Amino acid sequence: MYFVANWKMFGNYKSINTLNKVIKFSKSKAIKKGRLIYCPPYTLISSFFKKFENCLIDLGAQNCHESEDYGSHTGFINSKMIKSTGANYVILGHSENRKKGESDQLINTKIKNAIKAKLKVIFCIGETLIEKKKKKTKAVLSKQIKLGLKKIKISSNIFIAYEPVWSIGTGDIPKSIELEKTVQFIKKKFKGKPPKILYGGSVNTENIKDLKKITILDGFLIGGASQNSKKFIDIVKKTYN
Ligand code: 13P
């Protein structure tokens, strides 16, 4: 199971010390087969990399510029640059960035170039509350998958994170039956072996007890709760107990 910590726009150099607990946990038996991946803001990736030197915790970025090459793009970072920090993952298509205007086509270009740069991609999809109410969830997810992964060969380099937009930061999660059906639906979109599927949206130390019962999931993309090491560790432990 994969446990991805998306710190969003939180954290500063002092946050590095909060990782000691997680490092210790990652070396203990209690982690079982859990794989931890931290996606801090860009400013902290290198410091986290040094901090994780002697453990198996992996790193990712939260977005990247779509260009394969270096260039005059003030304020941006491309996938090659992310790879050079020691990170191996990048989150793409997050709804917080789609909301700011990222199109499916742009996300598709980012995914292609991230894969070329040998990064693994955590590709986020999910419907808004209005789309859910209008019963458009399947249509929305189908479109996001079709356009976002256009001309991309599915391999172990692609993870899909199903994050219903209405669930992010709200404390609401889908009903177990609904979530299971949606994950099945996503898996069936792929002809061969489907990519690994993560769930994201208000995952916490309480609802993990229900979420872990959805055994077709391959892990979780965790926002708020992942910034607290104790809570993050607790989520992993409860997944296995
Ligand atoms: P929360 O866990 O804070 O709801 O965030 C989910 C998310 O957006 C992870 O990418």
Side-chain angles (χ1 to χ4, degrees):
M1 293 286 274
Y2 290 77
F3 299 86
V4 185
N6 175 9
W7 274 26
K8 308 194 178 182
M9 202 173 75
F10 292 96
N12 57 28
Y13 73 96
K14 288 184 190 157
S15 320
I16 299 161
N17 295 327
T18 68
L19 302 171
N20 292 334
K21 273 194 203 114
V22 182
I23 292 172
K24 195 169 161 219
F25 172 67
S26 76
K27 293 176 180 171
S28 72
K29 283 195 177 139
I31 190 165
K32 306 257 170 89
K33 285 187 176 159
R35 306 267 299 262
L36 307 185
I37 300 153
Y38 268 81
C39 301
Y42 294 131
T43 48
L44 292 175
I45 297 180
S46 292
S47 318
F48 276 40
F49 183 73
K50 280 197 203 105
K51 188 84 182 167
F52 293 152
E53 223 165 31
N54 295 312
C55 67
L56 292 171
I57 305 177
D58 218 329
L59 275 167
Q62 299 169 16
N63 200 355
C64 68
H65 189 272
E66 65 275 19
S67 174
E68 184 185 357
D69 299 313
Y70 301 118
S72 303
H73 304 289
T74 305
F76 290 91
I77 289 174
N78 74 356
S79 27
K80 262 193 224 176
M81 295 159 111
I82 292 168
K83 185 72 188 176
S84 76
T85 63
N88 288 313
Y89 290 81
V90 62
I91 298 171
L92 293 173
H94 196 285
S95 60
E96 286 155 10
N97 297 320
R98 290 182 187 262
K99 222 185 284 171
K100 288 179 100 50
E102 286 197 5
S103 66
D104 292 303
Q105 288 74 12
L106 182 80
I107 296 162
N108 177 253
T109 309
K110 290 187 181 197
I111 298 176
K112 281 181 184 154
N113 288 329
I115 289 168
K116 270 193 203 162
K118 307 240 172 337
L119 288 172
K120 292 183 198 266
V121 172
I122 299 166
F123 170 47
C124 302
I125 57 171
E127 80 285 1
T128 63
L129 187 60
I130 295 175
E131 288 161 346
K132 177 180 155 64
K133 283 186 175 160
K134 288 187 177 164
K135 303 211 180 311
K136 284 188 175 164
T137 300
K138 285 184 179 170
V140 169
L141 299 180
S142 298
K143 181 166 170 267
Q144 288 175 338
I145 292 171
K146 187 171 172 223
L147 300 179
L149 295 179
K150 195 170 173 182
K151 300 206 172 140
I152 291 172
K153 193 172 162 275
I154 299 302
S155 68
S156 58
N157 290 345
I158 309 262
F159 290 63
I160 291 194
Y162 170 55
E163 298 205 307
V165 182
W166 51 271
S167 178
I168 297 175
T170 59
D172 290 339
I173 60 165
K175 290 195 188 83
S176 295
I177 294 181
E178 231 173 79
L179 180 55
E180 178 141 17
K181 274 191 193 156
T182 309
V183 176
Q184 290 282 15
F185 173 79
I186 296 169
K187 288 206 173 200
K188 283 196 185 128
K189 289 267 138 205
F190 298 91
K191 285 198 188 92
K193 195 172 176 242
K196 293 206 183 320
I197 310 215
L198 316 179
Y199 167 78
S202 292
V203 177
N204 63 34
T205 53
E206 285 306 309
N207 60 28
I208 192 66
K209 292 175 213 152
D210 293 322
L211 288 168
K212 75 169 187 188
K213 291 182 193 149
I214 302 166
T215 52
I216 50 170
L217 281 171
D218 301 291
F220 302 98
L221 177 53
I222 307 159
S226 73
Q227 289 162 44
N228 179 311
S229 297
K230 192 177 169 300
K231 287 185 185 166
F232 191 49
I233 293 169
D234 219 35
I235 289 171
V236 181
K237 281 187 181 163
K238 285 183 178 162
T239 303
Y240 292 107
N241 288 319

